[in-house]
Coordinates of all heavy atoms in Angstrom, one line a residue:
P903 N -4.7 -69.7 -6.6 CA -4.8 -68.9 -7.8 C -4.1 -67.6 -7.6 O -3.9 -67.1 -6.4 CB -6.3 -68.7 -8.0 CG -6.8 -68.8 -6.6 CD -6.0 -69.9 -6.0
V904 N -3.7 -66.9 -8.7 CA -3.0 -65.6 -8.6 C -3.8 -64.6 -7.8 O -3.3 -63.7 -7.2 CB -2.6 -65.1 -10.0 CG1 -3.8 -64.7 -10.8 CG2 -1.6 -63.9 -9.9
S905 N -5.2 -64.7 -7.9 CA -6.0 -63.7 -7.2 C -5.8 -63.8 -5.7 O -5.8 -62.7 -5.0 CB -7.5 -63.9 -7.6 OG -7.9 -65.2 -7.3
L906 N -5.7 -65.0 -5.2 CA -5.5 -65.1 -3.8 C -4.1 -64.6 -3.3 O -4.0 -63.9 -2.3 CB -5.7 -66.6 -3.4 CG -5.5 -66.8 -1.8 CD1 -6.5 -68.0 -1.4 CD2 -4.1 -67.2 -1.4
I907 N -3.1 -64.9 -4.1 CA -1.7 -64.5 -3.8 C -1.7 -63.0 -3.9 O -1.0 -62.3 -3.1 CB -0.7 -65.2 -4.7 CG1 -0.8 -66.7 -4.5 CG2 0.7 -64.7 -4.4 CD1 0.1 -67.5 -5.4
Q908 N -2.3 -62.4 -4.9 CA -2.4 -61.0 -5.1 C -3.0 -60.3 -3.8 O -2.5 -59.3 -3.3 CB -3.3 -60.6 -6.3 CG -3.5 -59.1 -6.5 CD -4.5 -58.8 -7.5 OE1 -4.9 -59.7 -8.3 NE2 -4.9 -57.6 -7.7
A909 N -4.1 -60.9 -3.3 CA -4.7 -60.4 -2.1 C -3.7 -60.4 -0.9 O -3.7 -59.5 -0.1 CB -6.0 -61.1 -1.8
V910 N -3.0 -61.5 -0.8 CA -2.1 -61.7 0.4 C -0.9 -60.7 0.2 O -0.5 -60.0 1.2 CB -1.6 -63.1 0.5 CG1 -0.4 -63.2 1.5 CG2 -2.7 -64.1 0.8
L911 N -0.4 -60.5 -1.0 CA 0.7 -59.6 -1.2 C 0.2 -58.1 -1.3 O 1.0 -57.2 -1.2 CB 1.4 -59.9 -2.5 CG 2.1 -61.3 -2.5 CD1 2.7 -61.6 -3.9 CD2 3.2 -61.4 -1.4
R912 N -1.1 -57.9 -1.4 CA -1.7 -56.6 -1.5 C -1.3 -55.8 -2.7 O -1.0 -54.6 -2.6 CB -1.5 -55.9 -0.2 CG -2.3 -56.4 1.0 CD -1.7 -56.0 2.4 NE -0.4 -56.7 2.6 CZ 0.7 -56.1 2.7 NH1 0.8 -54.8 2.7 NH2 1.8 -56.8 3.0
H913 N -1.2 -56.5 -3.8 CA -0.9 -55.8 -5.1 C -2.2 -55.3 -5.7 O -3.2 -56.0 -5.7 CB -0.2 -56.7 -6.1 CG 1.1 -57.1 -5.7 ND1 1.7 -58.3 -6.1 CD2 2.1 -56.4 -4.9 CE1 3.0 -58.3 -5.6 NE2 3.2 -57.3 -4.9
K914 N -2.3 -54.1 -6.2 CA -3.5 -53.6 -6.8 C -3.8 -54.2 -8.2 O -4.9 -54.3 -8.6 CB -3.4 -52.0 -6.9 CG -3.5 -51.3 -5.6 CD -4.8 -51.4 -5.0 CE -5.0 -50.6 -3.7 NZ -6.2 -50.8 -3.0
N915 N -2.6 -54.5 -8.8 CA -2.7 -55.1 -10.2 C -2.3 -56.5 -10.2 O -1.2 -56.8 -9.8 CB -1.9 -54.2 -11.1 CG -2.1 -54.5 -12.6 OD1 -2.3 -55.6 -13.0 ND2 -2.1 -53.4 -13.4
P916 N -3.1 -57.4 -10.8 CA -2.6 -58.8 -10.9 C -1.4 -59.0 -11.7 O -0.6 -60.0 -11.5 CB -3.8 -59.5 -11.6 CG -4.6 -58.4 -12.2 CD -4.4 -57.2 -11.4
N917 N -1.1 -58.1 -12.6 CA 0.1 -58.2 -13.4 C 1.3 -58.0 -12.5 O 2.4 -58.6 -12.7 CB 0.1 -57.1 -14.5 CG -0.9 -57.4 -15.6 OD1 -1.2 -58.6 -15.8 ND2 -1.4 -56.4 -16.3
T918 N 1.2 -57.2 -11.5 CA 2.3 -57.0 -10.6 C 2.6 -58.3 -9.8 O 3.8 -58.6 -9.6 CB 1.9 -55.9 -9.5 OG1 1.6 -54.7 -10.2 CG2 3.1 -55.6 -8.6
T919 N 1.6 -59.0 -9.5 CA 1.7 -60.3 -8.8 C 2.4 -61.3 -9.7 O 3.3 -62.0 -9.3 CB 0.4 -60.8 -8.3 OG1 -0.3 -59.8 -7.5 CG2 0.6 -62.1 -7.4
S920 N 2.0 -61.3 -11.0 CA 2.6 -62.3 -11.9 C 4.1 -62.0 -12.1 O 4.9 -62.9 -12.1 CB 1.9 -62.2 -13.3 OG 0.5 -62.6 -13.1
R921 N 4.4 -60.6 -12.2 CA 5.9 -60.3 -12.3 C 6.6 -60.6 -11.1 O 7.7 -61.1 -11.1 CB 6.0 -58.8 -12.6 CG 5.5 -58.4 -14.0 CD 6.0 -57.0 -14.3 NE 5.5 -56.0 -13.4 CZ 4.4 -55.3 -13.5 NH1 3.6 -55.5 -14.6 NH2 4.0 -54.4 -12.6
Y922 N 6.0 -60.5 -9.9 CA 6.6 -60.8 -8.7 C 6.9 -62.3 -8.6 O 8.0 -62.6 -8.2 CB 5.6 -60.4 -7.5 CG 6.2 -60.5 -6.1 CD1 6.8 -59.4 -5.5 CD2 6.2 -61.7 -5.4 CE1 7.3 -59.4 -4.2 CE2 6.7 -61.8 -4.2 CZ 7.3 -60.6 -3.6 OH 7.8 -60.7 -2.3
L923 N 6.0 -63.1 -9.0 CA 6.2 -64.5 -8.9 C 7.3 -64.9 -9.9 O 8.1 -65.8 -9.5 CB 4.9 -65.3 -9.3 CG 3.8 -65.1 -8.3 CD1 2.5 -65.7 -8.8 CD2 4.1 -65.8 -6.9
R924 N 7.4 -64.3 -11.0 CA 8.5 -64.6 -12.0 C 9.8 -64.2 -11.4 O 10.8 -64.8 -11.6 CB 8.2 -63.9 -13.3 CG 7.1 -64.6 -14.1 CD 7.2 -64.1 -15.6 NE 7.0 -62.7 -15.7 CZ 5.8 -62.1 -15.9 NH1 4.7 -62.9 -15.9 NH2 5.7 -60.8 -16.0
S925 N 9.8 -63.1 -10.7 CA 11.0 -62.6 -10.1 C 11.6 -63.5 -9.0 O 12.8 -63.4 -8.7 CB 10.8 -61.2 -9.5 OG 10.2 -61.2 -8.3
I926 N 10.8 -64.3 -8.5 CA 11.3 -65.3 -7.5 C 11.4 -66.7 -8.0 O 11.5 -67.7 -7.3 CB 10.5 -65.3 -6.1 CG1 9.0 -65.6 -6.4 CG2 10.6 -64.0 -5.5 CD1 8.2 -65.7 -5.2
G927 N 11.3 -66.7 -9.4 CA 11.6 -68.0 -10.1 C 10.4 -68.9 -10.2 O 10.6 -70.1 -10.5
L928 N 9.2 -68.4 -10.1 CA 8.0 -69.2 -10.2 C 7.3 -68.9 -11.5 O 7.3 -67.8 -12.0 CB 7.1 -68.9 -9.1 CG 7.7 -69.2 -7.7 CD1 6.7 -68.8 -6.6 CD2 8.1 -70.6 -7.5
E929 N 6.7 -69.9 -12.1 CA 6.0 -69.8 -13.4 C 4.6 -69.4 -13.2 O 4.2 -68.9 -12.1 CB 6.1 -71.1 -14.2 CG 7.5 -71.6 -14.5 CD 8.3 -70.6 -15.3 OE1 7.7 -69.9 -16.2 OE2 9.5 -70.5 -15.2
Q930 N 3.7 -69.6 -14.2 CA 2.3 -69.2 -14.1 C 1.7 -69.9 -12.8 O 1.9 -71.1 -12.6 CB 1.5 -69.6 -15.3 CG 0.2 -68.9 -15.5 CD 0.3 -67.5 -15.8 OE1 1.4 -67.1 -16.3 NE2 -0.7 -66.7 -15.6
V931 N 0.9 -69.2 -12.1 CA 0.3 -69.8 -10.9 C -0.8 -70.8 -11.3 O -1.6 -70.6 -12.1 CB -0.4 -68.7 -10.0 CG1 -1.0 -69.3 -8.8 CG2 0.7 -67.7 -9.6
R932 N -0.7 -72.0 -10.6 CA -1.7 -73.0 -10.9 C -3.0 -72.8 -10.1 O -2.9 -72.2 -9.0 CB -1.1 -74.4 -10.5 CG 0.1 -74.8 -11.3 CD 0.5 -76.3 -10.9 NE 0.7 -76.4 -9.5 CZ 1.9 -76.2 -8.9 NH1 2.9 -75.9 -9.6 NH2 2.0 -76.4 -7.6
S933 N -4.1 -73.2 -10.6 CA -5.3 -73.1 -9.8 C -5.4 -74.2 -8.8 O -4.8 -75.2 -8.9 CB -6.5 -73.2 -10.8 OG -6.5 -74.5 -11.4
G934 N -6.0 -73.9 -7.7 CA -6.1 -74.8 -6.6 C -6.8 -74.2 -5.4 O -6.8 -73.0 -5.3
L935 N -7.4 -75.0 -4.6 CA -8.1 -74.6 -3.4 C -7.6 -75.1 -2.1 O -8.2 -75.1 -1.1 CB -9.6 -74.9 -3.5 CG -10.3 -74.3 -4.8 CD1 -11.7 -74.8 -4.8 CD2 -10.3 -72.8 -4.6
E936 N -6.3 -75.7 -2.2 CA -5.8 -76.3 -1.0 C -5.4 -75.2 0.0 O -5.1 -74.0 -0.4 CB -4.5 -77.1 -1.3 CG -4.9 -78.3 -2.3 CD -3.6 -79.0 -2.7 OE1 -2.5 -78.6 -2.2 OE2 -3.7 -79.9 -3.5
E937 N -5.4 -75.5 1.2 CA -5.1 -74.5 2.3 C -3.6 -74.2 2.2 O -2.8 -75.0 1.9 CB -5.5 -75.0 3.7 CG -7.0 -75.3 3.9 CD -7.3 -75.7 5.2 OE1 -6.4 -76.0 6.0 OE2 -8.5 -75.8 5.5
G938 N -3.3 -72.9 2.6 CA -1.9 -72.4 2.5 C -1.1 -72.6 3.7 O -0.3 -73.5 3.8

Side-chain angles (χ1 to χ4, degrees):
V904 68
S905 57
L906 184 144
I907 301 176
Q908 177 189 348
V910 172
L911 297 176
R912 289 160 289 116
H913 291 152
K914 291 295 185 183
N915 191 322
N917 292 331
T918 304
T919 307
S920 297
R921 289 195 301 270
Y922 188 95
L923 293 171
R924 286 196 297 273
S925 76
I926 59 177
L928 302 177
E929 301 298 329
Q930 196 74 19
V931 178
R932 300 185 303 269
S933 61
L935 297 175
E936 298 174 4
E937 295 182 354

